[in-house]
Amino acid sequence: MHITVLSGAGLSAESGLGTFRDKDGLWTKYDLAEVATPEGFAADPEKVHSFYNARRKNAADAAFNAAHEALARLKTVFGQRLTLVTQNVDSLLEAAGARDVLHMHGALDRAKCTSCGHRFPALRVMSPQDPCPNCSSPTTRPDIVWFGEYPEHMGEIEQALSRCDLFVAIGTSGQVYPAAGLVDLARESGAQTLEINLEASDISHRFHDARYGPATEVVPNWVQELIG
Ligand code: APR
Ligand code: ZN
């Protein structure tokens, strides 16, 4: 059986990283146009770097939770038969031991150069003056997929969906595409679909099944049922 899991901010919420669209979510405190778009970065790189520096610090100080751990366990047992896709930019799944996580919206612990394309581990604190380790130009940025940019690993993700028997979305509100459309691709391939979330999302009606509750309770139970 092939499984594809798509996770969102709800997976890391109980690690203290908050979400985007819940009450007091990130987008209730910041204007995403200013801190999560290429235009925002061009207008004020200092502001955008400090936004991601704060998120990078939060993520580095956070501990993985029982849901991350359960998915890492599932990956160990299923290996290539499980594709872990995440919209999250933290590395808590990797901290819990998961390998080959596909970060379709990039990662806080990575940076890239807009001149030569070089990708490298992000400094804890980044600034517009940082020289690229490869070409030395001061043109580095967080390796995050901003609104209006194309997500990463889409070929691999679509490939996994074309052969998956079970698609599970965990902790995502289903408001951002193409992530929110992956459930439809899975259904087109004949997969069963399960939504695991704190409460019904915008795309709940597109799933065959649903399990509601905190990820740290629902995900370990679901994984336990799968691997016994
Ligand atoms: N357990 C399970 N689900 C939870 C929990 C929890 N403890 N807490 C919150 N949730 C659910 C919420 O009910 C909501 O449906 O997680 C979801 C979080 O939704 P969003 O804040 O919209 O986060 P996400 O869906 O990951 O956002 C997608 O939007 O801003 C962009 O790039 C950003 O990757 C992000 C994308
Ligand atoms: Zn460079």
Side-chain angles (χ1 to χ4, degrees), residues 113-118 132-137 139-140:
C113 173
T114 53
S115 306
C116 71
H118 179 57
C132 164
N134 180 55
C135 73
S136 313
S137 17
T139 51
T140 64

Side-chain angles (χ1 to χ4, degrees), residues 8-22 24-27 29 51 54-65 68 88-93 108:
L11 178 70
S12 299
E14 291 161 89
S15 294
L17 290 189
T19 62
F20 294 96
R21 296 174 182 85
D22 289 328
D24 69 22
L26 216 50
W27 298 146
K29 295 179 198 140
F51 173 70
R55 291 186 65 195
R56 194 172 297 113
K57 177 159 179 3
N58 283 346
D61 294 346
F64 59 82
N65 63 48
H68 297 110
N88 297 343
V89 293
D90 63 64
S91 308
L92 294 179
L93 276 167
L108 281 169

